[in-house]
Amino acid sequence: MDQIQHNFITVQGLKLHVADIGTGPNVVLFLHGFPEIWYTWRHQMIAAANAGFRAIAPDYRGHGLSDQPPEPDKASYRDLVNDILAILEALAITKVFVVAKDFGAWPAYILALLYPDRILGVVTLGVPYIPASSRPSFTKSLPEGFYISRFHEPGRAEADFGRFDATTVFRNIYILFSRSEIPIAAENQEIMDLVDPSTPLPPWFSEEDLKVYGAAYERTGFQTALQITYRSKSDDMGITELIVKVPVLVIMGRKDYFNKFPGIEDSITSGKVNEFTSDLELVYMPEGTHFAQEQAPDQFNQLMLTFLKKHI
């Protein structure tokens, strides 16, 4: 960890934090999910550097050590993609592999669709590519207390999270979202109330790890993260190509609650996801949860590095 360098790159007046390790000619760009930061990829960055790659992981605007945008309620996926391109430009990187998870998969796929000549391959955790036109509507198929529906409502999650310090919010998120059931609250219940305060952290996530995340979000709050992830649209990017034509590896955790989202399992078992990706590998981690990259890093790293080396 002490070999990871931390730099700041100014993009559109914002200082964006980028973690960086390794000096290899081939670069791996790591994109985090909600509500994570670069740190979620610490095991993968070190493994990639040890395998001869350069690994970089930004904190998105309004996340971690990066600056808040001036209008957090207007932050969008377009901002993320533009920020990523500006970071690559500042670092004089022309081509990358992209490794992403959770909502970070969408900017990864957008980059592959818009700039296929710059993307050597994409690895995503838990999120196969399905265009908006073919994507099932999760919010219409699940109860009102579905966490995405709650997080989509401006101010609802902020008020829910605001009852606790950021470290407690993260403790609850890692406990709740590492389970196999979709987080759904009752009508008179908030999402944070789904976790009993006495519940221990998952055994693979330490108190020291929790402190890193908690400190980051004590600084930034959750507004920008919620806005980008749940309230902005990932598809209004001028995308006309609906097929991802770069090699893609999707790593699915068998115990990831996302598998139970309406239509996801059917899209995979029927082979429908293959219609939208010209070169797709899909593998399962039998015990993997939503945080499989932290839960079982050695297993995840082996899958990731095998793919990366195959497509150099």
Side-chain angles (χ1 to χ4, degrees):
M1 286 288 290
D2 57 0
Q3 295 179 20
I4 296 177
Q5 299 179 354
H6 298 275
N7 304 307
F8 289 88
I9 295 172
T10 301
V11 178
Q12 297 179 17
L14 302 178
K15 289 172 61 179
L16 302 182
H17 169 249
V18 181
D20 192 336
I21 185 172
T23 58
N26 297 294
V27 182
V28 187
L29 167 69
F30 290 90
L31 301 179
H32 62 76
F34 173 87
E36 295 157 324
I37 56 176
W38 74 271
Y39 185 82
T40 195
W41 294 116
R42 59 200 179 281
H43 304 299
Q44 288 68 44
M45 294 183 70
I46 293 168
N50 288 340
F53 294 88
R54 181 182 181 185
I56 61 173
D59 286 334
Y60 307 138
R61 55 174 56 202
H63 295 66
L65 296 175
S66 291
D67 283 350
Q68 286 279 8
E71 297 180 286
D73 61 335
K74 295 182 180 179
S76 69
Y77 278 92
R78 183 181 293 276
D79 291 326
L80 290 195
V81 172
N82 290 340
D83 289 347
I84 291 164
L85 291 170
I87 288 169
L88 295 179
E89 184 73 20
L91 296 175
I93 297 170
T94 57
K95 293 187 177 184
V96 293
F97 289 100
V98 185
V99 179
K101 67 157 295 194
D102 193 65
F103 88 95
W106 298 118
Y109 289 133
I110 291 168
L111 288 166
L113 290 165
L114 293 177
Y115 307 98
D117 57 324
R118 300 193 64 176
I119 307 301
L120 296 168
V122 173
V123 179
T124 65
L125 173 57
V127 186
Y129 172 66
I130 303 173
S133 57
S134 300
R135 202 176 303 152
S137 176
F138 307 135
T139 55
K140 291 180 180 178
S141 305
L142 291 168
E144 174 274 338
F146 176 40
Y147 79 94
I148 288 181
S149 298
R150 292 290 183 85
F151 290 176
H152 179 74
E153 182 182 340
R156 180 78 180 254
E158 288 91 332
D160 183 13
F161 294 178
R163 297 177 295 154
F164 310 96
D165 59 57
T167 301
T168 301
V169 173
F170 259 92
R171 177 183 291 275
N172 290 347
I173 285 173
Y174 263 79
I175 292 169
L176 185 61
F177 288 82
S178 62
R179 295 172 179 171
S180 298
E181 298 301 320
I182 299 172
I184 298 175
E187 186 176 348
N188 61 346
Q189 185 182 42
E190 297 300 330
I191 298 298
M192 289 291 99
D193 297 329
L194 291 172
V195 180
D196 186 312
S198 66
T199 305
L201 284 169
W204 40 264
F205 192 73
S206 71
E207 291 287 345
E208 289 71 26
D209 295 330
L210 180 63
K211 288 177 183 177
V212 174
Y213 288 107
Y217 277 87
E218 284 292 350
R219 174 182 176 274
T220 63
F222 292 91
Q223 184 182 6
T224 303
L226 287 161
Q227 165 63 27
I228 295 174
T229 313
Y230 298 106
R231 299 166 191 166
S232 68
K233 293 187 177 182
S234 62
D235 305 299
D236 185 20
M237 298 285 295
I239 296 171
T240 56
E241 174 60 69
L242 297 181
I243 308 296
V244 174
K245 294 181 178 178
V246 305
V248 175
L249 170 65
V250 177
I251 301 172
M252 303 288 292
R254 284 279 184 197
K255 296 186 177 180
D256 187 343
Y257 67 87
F258 183 72
N259 294 314
K260 296 182 179 178
F261 275 34
I264 292 300
E265 187 174 0
D266 288 344
S267 295
I268 293 171
T269 56
S270 69
K272 189 173 182 63
V273 292
N274 296 80
E275 298 175 14
F276 310 118
T277 309
S278 61
D279 183 358
L280 174 66
E281 295 179 58
L282 193 147
V283 297
Y284 281 91
M285 293 174 60
E287 298 299 316
T289 68
H290 193 66
F291 303 102
Q293 86 289 358
E294 292 182 284
Q295 173 196 7
D298 291 344
Q299 184 181 1
F300 186 97
N301 293 348
Q302 183 177 3
L303 294 169
M304 176 189 74
L305 291 172
T306 298
F307 175 84
L308 297 179
K309 292 174 181 178
K310 178 180 176 181
H311 294 287
I312 291 177

